[in-house]
Amino acid sequence: MYTLSYHVVVNTPKGYRIGDIRLDIDENKIEGQFDFPLFDNRCYGILNEDDTFTFYVSITQEEKTNEYECTGRLSGYAIHISIPVDGFVYEVDGTTCRAK
């Protein structure tokens, strides 16, 4: 098992926001935590052999929380995640801040 942490910029309907993501990867399973007010803390999913992944994250909007499936890619020391939510796609881009 290893842990990756990223500083990220998130494109939201209200503009860009900054946050952090920590991912614990064990074989092909991902469990993670967002440090970003809009997202609930936990996410989970599967890492594919080509460094793409699919995982689920909960987002709270207008006091309502829903779980969404999203896709992403790890490449070197960077991460990209696309989270489609009700006609808008949250784009999350970041770089590694520490790795274990």
Side-chain angles (χ1 to χ4, degrees):
M1 182 168 99
Y2 60 98
T3 299
L4 298 172
S5 295
Y6 299 92
H7 291 300
V8 295
V9 175
V10 183
N11 182 15
T12 75
K14 295 182 179 183
Y16 291 95
R17 303 290 186 259
I18 297 172
D20 294 296
I21 298 174
R22 189 196 82 236
L23 299 177
D24 297 320
I25 301 171
D26 187 6
E27 307 234 350
N28 69 333
K29 295 178 184 171
I30 298 174
E31 289 188 18
Q33 186 168 0
F34 282 81
D35 181 12
F36 188 77
L38 180 65
F39 299 97
D40 282 4
N41 287 341
R42 307 296 290 169
C43 62
Y44 63 94
I46 300 294
L47 178 64
N48 302 311
E49 290 183 18
D50 64 355
D51 292 332
T52 62
F53 57 86
T54 302
F55 67 70
Y56 298 89
V57 63
S58 295
I59 298 177
T60 302
Q61 293 179 316
E62 300 174 8
E63 299 180 17
K64 184 177 179 185
T65 301
N66 291 309
E67 186 173 82
Y68 297 94
E69 181 177 308
C70 53
T71 58
R73 179 174 202 75
L74 300 173
S75 62
Y77 293 98
I79 190 169
H80 175 80
I81 307 169
S82 294
I83 309 169
V85 176
D86 303 330
F88 184 84
V89 178
Y90 290 87
E91 297 292 346
V92 181
D93 290 291
T95 56
T96 302
C97 56
R98 66 184 173 271
K100 293 182 182 178

